């Protein structure tokens, strides 16, 4: 891209998504959802998900992995995670939707039973 710097982060993760101000990105790491500066500095684990079983599975990789999405103002992330006690989430009712407020560092349960949430960018 013209005028852009290319960075090699060396971070393990997937589903990266750029913040609206293009100063940070969020991604799903092996231990939870992270936010990191665009230069690859200040990697913060926002939503960790500890091991829930003897098989080493956690609530982010037991079926449908979350793809975090930024709010329009860049102050929050929305995502889902599996909250079933079984090893796999096989039904939409076993997932819950959350919003994480980056200003207060608080996770809030929005709804039980849901997958792949996103923001309505057409609404102010």
């Amino acid at each position: 891209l013209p005028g852009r710097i290319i960075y090699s982060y060396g971070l393990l993760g997937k589903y990266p998504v750029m913040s609206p101000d293009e100063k940070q990105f969020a991604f799903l790491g092996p231990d939870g959802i992270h936010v990191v500066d665009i230069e690859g500095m200040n990697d913060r684990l926002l939503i960790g998900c500890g091991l829930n079983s003897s098989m080493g599975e956690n609530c982010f990789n037991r079926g449908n992995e979350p793809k975090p999405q930024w709010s329009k103002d860049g102050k929050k992330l929305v995502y889902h995670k599996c909250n079933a006690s079984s090893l796999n989430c096989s039904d939409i009712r076993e997932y819950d939707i959350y919003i994480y407020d980056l200003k207060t560092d608080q996770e809030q349960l929005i709804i039980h039973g849901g997958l792949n949430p996103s923001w309505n960018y057409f609404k102010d």
Side-chain angles (χ1 to χ4, degrees), residues 89-107:
C89 277
S90 57
D91 188 279
I92 195 169
R93 293 172 290 186
E94 296 174 319
Y95 293 92
D96 295 334
I97 306 291
Y98 292 86
I99 288 180
Y100 188 90
D101 188 316
L102 285 102
K103 185 174 181 176
T104 64
D105 287 324
Q106 296 292 313
E107 179 182 61

Side-chain angles (χ1 to χ4, degrees), residues 11-90:
L11 301 171
L12 294 174
K14 48 186 156 182
Y15 312 123
V17 59
M18 187 80 65
S19 64
D21 64 5
E22 298 185 356
K23 293 182 180 179
Q24 304 177 87
F25 65 94
F27 67 95
L28 177 63
D31 56 349
I33 296 175
H34 293 248
V35 169
V36 64
D37 295 344
I38 195 67
E39 294 86 14
M41 307 300 287
N42 302 312
D43 182 0
R44 288 178 39 203
L45 174 64
L46 296 183
I47 302 101
C49 194
L51 299 178
N52 289 336
S53 76
S54 59
M55 301 296 290
E57 298 289 335
N58 67 41
C59 69
F60 290 118
N61 65 4
R62 293 191 288 159
N64 289 301
E65 296 173 320
K67 297 167 183 78
Q69 299 293 316
W70 291 92
S71 61
K72 193 177 193 179
D73 61 8
K75 295 179 181 178
K76 297 178 181 176
L77 291 170
V78 66
Y79 52 93
H80 70 261
K81 64 183 178 182
C82 175
N83 285 320
S85 59
S86 64
L87 291 178
N88 291 307
C89 277
S90 57

